[in-house]
Amino acid sequence: MSERTPTGDRPVGTAGSIDPLTVAAALGSAQGFLSAVLEGITDPIFVKDDQHRYLYFNDAFCQLTGLTREQLLGKSDQDLFLPHEAAEFQAADRLVLQSGEAQVHEESMTDATGANKIVLAKKTRIQDALGNCYLVCTIQDITGLKWREAELEAAIARFDLANQATNEGLWEIGLINGDLNHPDNPVWWSPKFRELLGFRTAAEFPDRVDSWSDRIHPDDAEWVTAALLAHIQDPTGQTPYDVEYRMFTRTGECRWYRDIGVTIHDETGIPLKAVGTFRDVTDRRQAEEELRRQKHLFKSVLDNIPHRIWLKDCQGRHVVVNQSFAESVGIAPEALIGKTDFDLWPTDKAQMFQDEDQAVMNTGQIFSLEEQLPLPDGTIRWFNTTKTPMYDEAGQVIGTTGISMEVSDRRHAEEALRQAKEELEFRVEERTAELQETVDELQRAVFVREQTEHSLLKTLKELQFRQFAMDQAALIAITDSQGVITYVNDKLCEISGYSEAELIGKTHRIINSGYHPPEFFRDMWATIRSGKVWRGEVKNRAKAGHFYWVSTTIVPELDQDGRVQKYLAIRFDISDRKFAEEALQQSEAQLRQQTDELRNTLWELQRTQSQLIQSEKMSSLGQLVAGVAHEINNPVNFIYGNLNYANEYTEDLLQIVRLYQQHYPQPLPEIQDVLGDVDLDFLLDDMPKLLKSMRVGAERIQKIVMSLRNFSRMDEAEFKAVDLHEGIDNTLMILQNRLKGKPGQPAIEVVREYGSLPEVECYASSLNQVFMNILSNAIDALDEALEKGNWGASQSDPGRNGSDSPRITIRTEYIVPNRVAIYLIDNGPGIPESVQKRLFDPFFTTKPVGKGTGLGMSISYQIVTERHGGILECISEPGQGAMFRIEIPIRQGGGGD
């Protein structure tokens, strides 16, 4: 930045005779004390004359701008700052100098390093004794504050977005004087909190504590409130608030919720407010209850089987045992879960059982044998045992199942027979054996001596070979009792990269990789110092920095007093296996992810296929209906249009006939014969009635044709504003034949309770399809109840919805500010809860084969929720009828899918 010298500049406060540097020097000498005070202030301060030249400034201002005093003194804003910044500074300065009123401005400036800073500047005008005006400005650097404000706003935005994405409600209760029940406590329920209880607005669920507490189940209300109070009143935070309890939703449904809260206290321990999260856990609680029921049933069946039955996982741990098995080992069934055979039987028995299980899982074949087992009473019993591999849904072996039946009585009988036979054979052979024994004893003595000499030679050679083989395959090290290395073989040096000289005298920390926690080595040392052999897999670091895995066995050498003298460590390199296992785990994770993606894609394709099939069927049906309506409409219009003329012509002819009767009362005999045959009086009376009946029929056909055209809506745009009442009426017109009474059955009454609705933007034909599906199902339910004779019995229930005759009620209402709701209610037998859960699932139907595809309600749900952004829900109890509630917005956001 170029600098200007003060020579020739306009004098401060005069017409141009005083040099700015002279003025600054005079101020500096005359106000030395004031300068010292100002330099002691940490906030930047400067003084300008009325020509915007800097006359005085403290060190803090120099640090703020990054300029020296020489660079600042006598300079104007144009010399020091960017053009637009200088213009803004001087505009603010002029406002203060002209008005004389102090001003506070938030300004942006660029310092000498190019960094942008945001400052809060307070500017004041002062005058000296000569009337010269000066601008005094104190500055506060608020750059960091502005960044923190921006970060806070971003954090708040992220929090709001995260809360929208979760299915948890949030709540906050202010605690005046630490009192939960204070009437003026500020309360906030998040929109998701209200939604989980079926509410949408604060008017339906006000921000009050009793809005929440009044909906808690009576059996839970007292202890839940007590738990929250105990948590709030505990300043130590040792009393958590994490509870699950029941609440009633807006519709009266009782559901389970999990509520977690935390209380914020001030520095004296007084609670200020409580905040928390709120989640619906009804589905999990119901699943847990069903699982408990199934487990109880399974256990009851197993415990009543007299044979020993068990299930083990792949690690040989018992996961299921029955009462007979528990009695055979003398341990309660619950205590057996998780135990292996090594916890229950002698080591040799347990190892045998484990080998048998492993063979079953490896071969996939059933294994059977008879074996002896010791029982808790000390007796030895025989059992016939069968073991079978157990598979999961993917066909993978996940363990074994076993059933063991006691066969001791049969075995005892067989054993007694065998012993009797052996006793007889023994007595025959005993005498012969005594004679042979002397000869054999001599031969054995010679043989033993020769064998001993041969074994000693062989053992010596074998030891030499083993030492060579061990050095070639194993990493061997010997340490003293303190772990200092005293011997290493070539293989260890080769794998670790260290020379023998680098390792001797060191401990194994030299190859420690840092992978294992300290507890790992503490356990190892505790084992070997007690004189026991330790085995494990260790990850080490080579001198070059790469890692390698070894399978390690450490054997302590003890003296005659049992004290450890040295340790022998034998290691085998297992790096290839360990790295292969890691690669296999990564491959399995990728495979599971791909499997999940394929499963989701298949489900989406199935859903899309069913929707396309139904859409094509409805499109074809709509075209057929529109075509039929068009073909019927033309001849009906022809008939209806000519009825007026036919009526007029008939009246004229009848008038002529009456005049003939009046003026020619005695017609010719031939005419009298014809009049006798045709019954002229009846014809004159019946002809007007006949024409009137034809007119009524033609009008009825016109209405039906119009309803068919409106229902199919083939002549209108797919998406437009329509009258929903017209669509409902057209649907009812098409279903009129099904609503009529039958022999022995009353007609189904339809009650319209229409509210005042505006025209609604929607896919009219699709919504008509929804009305048709729901109303058809309601008629089916009412007809089925009437046919089965259940109608009269169900009407005796005083709580039943409706009268003593079948009825469908259609109610509409406008929901402020921009939604409408349609209620389709019947007083039929109702829908069980198990059916309601799957009501909108594709291909689910309760109708007999051939009467339903299971797609109607699924497609209806997609039309309302996905195509219109609305809500379709069913509220029903057995014996209380069913209500389907449709809620959609009046205006669609995008006007399309």
Side-chain angles (χ1 to χ4, degrees):
M1 180 182 296
S2 63
E3 298 185 6
R4 294 187 307 172
T5 62
T7 306
D9 286 354
R10 182 168 174 261
V12 178
T14 68
S17 62
I18 301 177
D19 184 78
L21 293 175
T22 304
V23 174
L27 288 173
S29 61
Q31 300 179 359
F33 176 74
L34 178 60
S35 298
V37 173
L38 294 178
E39 287 297 342
I41 298 176
T42 57
D43 288 338
I45 299 176
F46 67 80
V47 178
K48 289 183 182 178
D49 63 11
D50 58 358
Q51 297 303 309
H52 307 290
R53 292 174 297 197
Y54 288 88
L55 303 181
Y56 176 77
F57 32 81
N58 62 358
D59 288 340
F61 184 71
C62 293
Q63 295 175 1
L64 177 68
T65 60
L67 300 171
T68 64
R69 290 181 177 272
E70 291 75 13
Q71 292 174 315
L72 287 169
L73 186 61
K75 299 297 191 297
S76 67
D77 295 314
Q78 283 80 2
D79 300 321
L80 304 174
F81 301 104
L82 298 176
H84 70 278
E85 293 178 345
E88 293 176 0
F89 296 162
Q90 292 186 0
D93 295 348
R94 282 194 294 271
L95 179 63
V96 175
L97 290 171
Q98 292 171 3
S99 66
E101 296 181 357
Q103 299 285 339
V104 179
H105 300 276
E106 187 176 296
E107 299 177 342
S108 175
M109 61 168 287
T110 304
D111 64 12
T113 65
N116 183 261
K117 297 181 178 179
I118 301 174
V119 299
L120 191 66
K122 181 178 181 181
K123 299 182 178 180
T124 308
R125 187 186 73 179
I126 62 174
Q127 287 183 315
D128 62 9
L130 300 177
N132 296 317
C133 294
Y134 302 94
L135 183 76
V136 179
C137 179
T138 59
I139 298 175
Q140 181 180 0
D141 187 354
I142 61 172
T143 306
L145 178 61
K146 285 294 184 180
W147 287 350
R148 287 191 293 273
E149 288 179 354
E151 291 174 354
L152 179 60
E153 291 176 357
I156 292 173
R158 289 194 299 270
F159 175 79
D160 291 340
L161 181 62
N163 182 240
Q164 290 295 327
T166 63
N167 197 32
E168 289 186 350
L170 304 178
W171 56 268
E172 178 178 319
I173 302 175
L175 302 170
I176 298 177
N177 299 327
D179 184 6
L180 176 63
N181 299 315
H182 196 286
D184 297 327
N185 280 343
V187 178
W188 173 75
W189 312 113
S190 71
K192 177 60 70 174
F193 187 104
R194 292 189 174 92
E195 181 184 334
L196 291 174
L197 291 171
F199 298 96
R200 294 181 298 276
T201 64
E204 296 176 341
F205 193 87
D207 287 329
R208 298 195 307 270
V209 175
D210 58 0
S211 300
W212 162 73
S213 58
D214 289 347
R215 289 196 166 271
I216 300 178
H217 193 283
D219 294 342
D220 299 338
E222 182 176 353
W223 71 264
V224 170
T225 305
L228 180 56
L229 284 172
H231 169 70
I232 291 172
Q233 294 169 359
D234 182 5
T236 66
Q238 298 300 314
T239 305
Y241 179 69
D242 185 351
V243 295
E244 291 186 4
Y245 54 91
R246 294 162 291 178
M247 290 188 69
F248 294 101
T249 65
R250 183 179 65 83
T251 60
E253 180 184 6
C254 182
R255 298 186 66 82
W256 281 92
Y257 298 89
R258 182 180 182 185
D259 201 0
I260 304 175
V262 62
T263 300
I264 300 174
H265 299 78
D266 64 10
E267 61 276 4
T268 63
I270 297 177
L272 300 178
K273 63 181 178 180
V275 297
T277 61
F278 186 76
R279 176 183 286 272
D280 189 333
V281 295
T282 304
D283 293 340
R284 175 177 63 77
R285 294 288 297 223
Q286 292 174 348
E288 290 173 350
E289 182 61 27
E290 178 62 20
L291 181 60
R292 282 193 294 269
R293 190 187 69 81
Q294 293 291 343
K295 285 184 176 179
H296 178 73
L297 177 61
F298 178 68
K299 188 175 184 305
S300 298
V301 173
L302 287 182
D303 287 343
N304 283 281
I305 296 176
H307 308 312
R308 301 166 63 251
I309 297 176
W310 66 91
L311 277 72
K312 299 180 189 175
D313 61 16
C314 289
Q315 287 71 40
R317 296 178 297 232
H318 290 82
V319 294
V320 176
V321 297
N322 69 345
Q323 187 64 34
S324 297
F325 183 93
E327 292 173 354
S328 70
V329 296
I331 301 176
E334 298 77 15
L336 287 171
I337 303 304
K339 293 187 179 299
T340 67
D341 291 323
F342 289 94
D343 301 320
L344 307 177
W345 309 101
T347 304
D348 56 340
K349 276 291 186 192
Q351 186 63 49
M352 182 182 69
F353 295 159
Q354 186 182 69
D355 294 342
E356 293 170 357
D357 294 342
Q358 195 64 43
V360 170
M361 290 188 289
N362 291 340
T363 63
Q365 297 179 354
I366 298 175
F367 180 81
S368 298
L369 81 162
E370 290 189 358
E371 57 188 358
Q372 283 183 306
L373 296 177
L375 297 187
D377 58 2
T379 61
I380 304 295
R381 302 290 181 90
W382 280 92
F383 293 87
N384 187 330
T385 302
T386 300
K387 297 183 178 181
T388 307
M390 183 168 53
Y391 301 91
D392 61 13
E393 295 178 353
Q396 298 295 322
V397 175
I398 60 174
T400 61
T401 63
I403 181 169
S404 184
M405 178 174 57
E406 184 177 358
V407 292
S408 298
D409 294 339
R410 176 176 61 80
R411 291 292 301 208
H412 290 160
E414 292 174 354
E415 182 65 17
L417 181 60
R418 185 187 62 80
Q419 290 179 356
K421 180 180 179 181
E422 289 178 352
E423 180 68 17
L424 180 60
E425 292 175 349
F426 176 77
R427 291 177 181 177
V428 173
E429 295 175 355
E430 184 177 16
R431 187 61 179 170
T432 304
E434 290 176 353
L435 296 175
Q436 186 67 32
E437 184 176 356
T438 303
V439 178
D440 291 343
E441 187 68 28
L442 294 174
Q443 291 178 345
R444 280 197 300 271
V446 176
F447 175 79
V448 167
R449 182 174 179 177
E450 294 176 347
Q451 191 70 22
T452 301
E453 292 175 351
H454 178 72
S455 297
L456 289 174
L457 181 61
K458 181 179 180 182
T459 301
L460 180 60
K461 292 181 179 179
E462 185 175 345
L463 288 174
Q464 293 174 344
F465 174 76
R466 287 184 179 181
Q467 181 179 0
F468 174 78
M470 187 68 73
D471 283 338
Q472 296 300 312
L475 291 71
I476 300 175
I478 300 176
T479 70
D480 60 17
S481 60
Q482 302 303 316
V484 177
I485 300 173
T486 60
Y487 168 81
V488 293
N489 70 343
D490 294 340
K491 191 67 175 180
L492 177 57
C493 296
E494 175 189 344
I495 297 299
S496 67
Y498 290 98
S499 66
E500 181 180 0
E502 290 175 313
L503 292 173
I504 298 298
K506 304 293 192 306
T507 67
H508 282 85
R509 291 190 181 93
I510 192 173
I511 56 173
N512 190 340
S513 66
Y515 175 80
H516 302 284
E519 295 80 5
F520 177 84
F521 295 105
R522 281 202 296 269
D523 293 343
M524 179 195 74
W525 277 105
T527 300
I528 61 179
R529 281 173 177 163
S530 65
K532 299 178 181 178
V533 176
W534 182 88
R535 294 180 178 87
E537 294 180 349
V538 183
K539 186 177 184 180
N540 291 332
R541 181 193 298 272
K543 183 178 180 180
H546 63 272
F547 297 103
Y548 63 94
W549 280 89
V550 290
S551 176
T552 303
T553 300
I554 302 178
V555 182
E557 180 181 329
L558 308 179
D559 61 14
Q560 59 184 6
D561 296 326
R563 291 189 295 268
V564 175
Q565 297 299 306
K566 63 180 67 174
Y567 300 105
L568 171 64
I570 303 173
R571 304 177 178 88
F572 293 93
D573 188 358
I574 58 171
S575 301
D576 292 341
R577 175 173 66 81
K578 296 296 288 188
F579 294 151
E581 289 176 355
E582 294 177 359
L584 179 60
Q585 291 174 354
Q586 294 177 357
S587 300
E588 290 177 347
Q590 293 175 355
L591 180 60
R592 285 194 295 271
Q593 181 180 359
Q594 293 173 356
T595 302
D596 293 340
E597 292 175 354
L598 288 174
R599 186 182 295 109
N600 294 334
T601 302
L602 177 60
W603 183 89
E604 184 66 25
L605 287 174
Q606 290 175 338
R607 188 179 72 87
T608 304
Q609 181 185 23
S610 65
Q611 186 173 0
L612 289 174
I613 293 172
Q614 188 69 6
S615 299
E616 184 64 25
K617 289 171 60 179
M618 291 306 299
S619 175
S620 300
L621 179 60
Q623 294 176 358
L624 175 63
V625 168
V628 171
H630 178 74
E631 293 300 325
I632 295 175
N633 193 46
N634 289 336
V636 168
N637 286 340
F638 172 78
I639 295 172
Y640 186 79
N642 287 306
L643 280 176
N644 290 330
Y645 300 110
N647 188 56
E648 293 175 1
Y649 299 160
T650 303
E651 288 293 335
D652 292 342
L653 290 174
L654 293 177
Q655 182 63 25
I656 293 172
V657 171
R658 292 189 185 95
L659 290 174
Y660 269 104
Q661 286 179 327
Q662 179 180 354
H663 296 288
Y664 299 98
Q666 296 299 326
L668 297 175
E670 184 178 356
I671 294 174
Q672 288 182 357
D673 293 340
V674 174
L675 289 176
D677 293 337
V678 300
D679 193 358
L680 182 61
D681 292 336
F682 174 76
L683 188 148
L684 293 175
D685 180 62
D686 192 55
M687 181 61 74
K689 297 179 182 179
L690 179 63
L691 291 173
K692 183 177 180 181
S693 176
M694 292 173 65
R695 179 184 296 277
V696 172
E699 290 175 349
R700 172 66 176 169
I701 295 174
Q702 280 187 322
K703 290 181 180 180
I704 293 175
V705 170
M706 183 60 67
S707 296
L708 289 172
R709 293 184 62 185
N710 290 338
F711 179 82
S712 64
R713 299 228 175 231
M714 294 300 293
D715 57 345
E716 297 181 2
E718 185 178 8
F719 182 79
K720 63 180 294 185
V722 300
D723 181 1
L724 292 183
H725 293 157
E726 181 182 355
I728 296 172
D729 290 340
N730 292 332
T731 304
L732 290 172
M733 175 66 73
I734 296 173
L735 295 172
Q736 187 64 39
N737 183 61
R738 297 194 61 194
L739 297 170
K740 294 179 180 179
K742 302 176 183 178
Q745 293 184 3
I748 298 175
E749 178 187 3
V750 177
V751 178
R752 295 176 174 86
E753 298 179 358
Y754 290 167
S756 177
L757 300 184
E759 288 190 341
V760 178
E761 291 183 355
C762 63
Y763 297 91
S765 61
S766 296
L767 273 186
N768 288 342
Q769 178 185 352
V770 175
F771 299 149
M772 175 67 76
N773 288 335
I774 297 176
L775 290 172
S776 296
N777 287 339
I779 295 172
D780 289 341
L782 294 171
D783 286 345
E784 183 179 358
L786 291 169
E787 292 174 359
K788 292 182 177 180
N790 296 333
W791 187 260
S794 62
Q795 293 306 308
S796 63
D797 184 355
R800 183 175 178 82
N801 177 29
S803 62
D804 57 353
S805 61
R807 184 178 68 184
I808 296 176
T809 302
I810 304 174
R811 182 184 305 127
T812 62
E813 66 177 6
Y814 171 67
I815 302 176
V816 177
N818 60 349
R819 298 177 78 86
V820 297
I822 304 100
Y823 302 85
L824 305 174
I825 308 168
D826 67 72
N827 61 347
I831 303 174
E833 183 178 357
S834 59
V835 176
Q836 291 185 49
K837 292 180 179 179
R838 302 187 58 195
L839 193 59
F840 301 117
D841 292 350
F843 305 107
F844 174 74
T845 179
T846 58
K847 297 179 181 179
V849 176
K851 290 191 176 182
T853 64
L855 291 174
M857 295 308 298
S858 174
I859 296 299
S860 299
Y861 186 81
Q862 294 174 17
I863 290 172
V864 174
T865 59
E866 296 180 9
R867 302 199 72 190
H868 293 85
I871 299 171
L872 174 58
E873 58 182 352
C874 173
I875 302 171
S876 177
E877 292 183 10
Q880 299 297 318
M883 178 180 75
F884 284 84
R885 178 178 177 272
I886 303 170
E887 181 181 320
I888 60 174
I890 297 175
R891 297 288 179 267
Q892 296 290 326
D897 290 342

